[in-house]
């Protein structure tokens, strides 16, 4: 007797996902902890009535946020692709928001079709803490941070480099080559924003990078010392990882982006405010 063939999926649905990482143990499904992937897969399953597998463009650690994570799943459901954002928003906690959904080609892949990923790390440097910023920034006020010096340290990273110095143990990736496409570091009043766009990111790369970059900004490490760390793969000199809550997976790039610009690009505004009265 011949085996029954699995039904061909009617469509592949891409999702643009925002989440507050404070409520989750990262993106990837965990055996005993709550994750974003597991929460969304469960929501999809309540609609389609069978197991759903969600493929993400990247993984985020516990406590890391996402302004526009991208993922896809296959389904034979007749629900139009663009309707899935509303369908899932009604079935997920408030710490997850689907900003858009779309039908894509069956050979499109959230991870493998991506040409770049972009992260932003936000540091809040005011002396006083602020309850409204606290979940999304690293409140660092002990020493003055020179954002221009930090940018000068970042700029030599542009290009393709072996960045094993900024890679945490436990990754299954075969190598540490990364093509860094763009870097930014700017200060707006009490906020420093660090952005890195690359073809892909190593496990823990951004938090280790920022932790070491802060040493440059506070004058503890020279530009030459910072560059020597990654060019000579001196992982033992990278001692500090920046806290997870200041990091946000900003967005993912595709040759043919399936989402509206407003759902994909301006999903996390820069922090900026004037603490003085008008």
């Amino acid at each position: 007797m011949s085996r029954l063939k699995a039904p061909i999926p009617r469509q592949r649905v891409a999702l643009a996902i925002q989440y507050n990482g404070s409520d989750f143990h990262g993106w990837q499904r965990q055996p005993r902890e709550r994750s974003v992937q597991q929460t969304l897969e469960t929501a999809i399953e309540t609609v389609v009535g069978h197991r759903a597998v969600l493929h993400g463009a990247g993984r985020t650690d516990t406590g890391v946020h996402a302004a526009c994570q991208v993922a896809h799943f296959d389904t034979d459901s007749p629900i139009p692709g663009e309707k899935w954002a509303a369908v899932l928003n009604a079935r997920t906690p408030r710490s997850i928001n689907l900003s858009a959904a779309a039908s894509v080609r069956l050979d499109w892949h959230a991870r493998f079709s991506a040409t770049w990923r972009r992260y932003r790390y936000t540091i809040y440097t005011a002396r006083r803490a602020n309850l409204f910023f606290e979940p999304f920034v690293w409140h660092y006020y002990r020493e003055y941070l020179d954002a221009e010096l930090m940018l000068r340290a970042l700029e030599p990273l542009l290009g393709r480099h072996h960045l094993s110095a900024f890679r945490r143990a436990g990754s299954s990736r075969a190598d540490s080559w990364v093509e860094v496409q763009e870097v930014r570091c700017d200060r707006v009043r009490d906020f420093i924003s660090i952005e890195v766009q690359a073809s892909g990111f190593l496990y823990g790369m951004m938090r280790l990078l920022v932790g070491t970059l802060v040493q440059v900004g506070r004058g503890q490490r020279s530009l030459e010392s910072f560059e020597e760390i990654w060019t000579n793969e001196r992982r033992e000199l990278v001692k500090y990882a920046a806290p997870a809550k200041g990091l946000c997976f900003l967005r993912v790039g595709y040759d043919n982006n399936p989402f509206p610009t407003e759902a994909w690009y301006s999903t996390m505004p820069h922090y900026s405010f004037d603490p003085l009265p008008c």
Side-chain angles (χ1 to χ4, degrees):
M1 185 173 63
S2 61
R3 288 185 178 181
L4 292 174
K5 292 184 178 180
I8 298 173
R10 182 170 184 167
Q11 64 177 330
R12 177 161 291 186
V13 178
L15 305 173
I17 309 160
Q18 298 176 325
Y19 51 86
N20 182 336
S22 307
D23 290 348
F24 301 97
H25 286 260
W27 162 263
Q28 190 174 11
R29 178 183 283 274
Q30 305 288 330
R32 289 177 294 275
E33 305 288 355
R34 186 189 194 208
S35 73
V36 181
Q37 181 186 25
Q38 172 264 324
T39 302
L40 282 167
E41 287 178 345
T42 299
I44 296 167
E45 289 165 10
T46 64
V47 179
V48 299
H50 57 77
R51 183 171 182 265
V53 179
L54 198 60
H55 302 271
R59 298 175 182 175
T60 54
D61 292 340
T62 299
V64 175
H65 313 292
C68 192
Q69 163 76 284
V70 177
H72 79 264
F73 68 96
D74 292 337
T75 180
D76 57 4
S77 168
I79 298 173
E82 68 275 11
K83 299 292 186 182
W84 275 97
V87 168
L88 294 178
N89 279 334
R91 293 167 171 79
T92 50
R94 294 180 65 183
S95 48
I96 295 178
N97 177 61
L98 283 297
S99 57
S103 291
V104 292
R105 290 164 51 107
L106 291 178
D107 61 354
W108 186 94
H109 197 284
R111 177 184 174 190
F112 298 119
S113 297
T115 56
W116 51 262
R117 287 92 172 152
R118 191 178 185 100
Y119 279 87
R120 178 188 296 157
Y121 197 96
T122 305
I123 303 174
Y124 180 49
T125 64
R127 179 66 60 177
R128 296 178 185 274
N130 189 308
L131 179 67
F132 297 98
F133 304 141
E134 195 277 335
F136 305 105
V137 302
W138 179 12
H139 184 205
Y140 187 97
Y141 58 88
R142 291 182 293 274
E143 297 92 10
Y144 175 77
L145 296 179
D146 187 332
E148 292 185 7
L149 200 61
M150 293 161 71
L151 176 60
R152 288 173 58 192
L154 279 172
E155 288 173 336
L157 284 166
L158 290 167
R160 189 169 185 267
H161 304 287
H162 199 262
L163 298 180
S164 60
F166 300 124
R167 174 178 175 171
R168 285 175 55 188
S171 172
S172 59
R173 181 167 165 167
D175 61 68
S176 296
W177 289 101
V178 176
E179 180 190 349
V180 179
Q181 301 168 346
E182 186 179 346
V183 295
R184 288 183 56 185
C185 181
D186 53 69
R187 175 187 284 275
V188 179
R189 296 187 177 90
D190 292 326
F191 296 94
I192 294 177
S193 296
I194 300 160
E195 292 189 20
V196 178
Q197 180 174 303
S199 56
F201 285 78
L202 305 174
Y203 180 41
M205 174 178 155
M206 274 297 290
R207 292 175 59 195
L208 291 171
L209 177 62
V210 172
T212 311
L213 199 61
V214 162
Q215 294 181 316
V216 176
R218 62 190 280 194
Q220 183 183 4
R221 186 178 294 282
S222 68
L223 294 173
E224 294 75 19
S225 173
F226 180 83
E227 187 167 355
E228 192 266 343
I229 284 177
W230 59 266
T231 54
N232 292 328
E233 303 179 38
R234 299 291 303 277
R235 177 64 180 86
E236 74 279 6
L237 298 179
V238 179
K239 303 292 186 182
Y240 308 106
K245 64 181 181 177
L247 184 58
C248 182
F249 188 9
L250 206 56
R251 52 185 176 268
V252 190
Y254 299 94
D255 289 335
N256 295 298
N257 179 53
F259 307 115
T261 301
E262 63 271 16
W264 165 79
Y265 193 84
S266 300
T267 50
M268 183 188 181
H270 279 86
Y271 286 105
S272 174
F273 81 115
D274 190 345
L276 300 177
C278 297

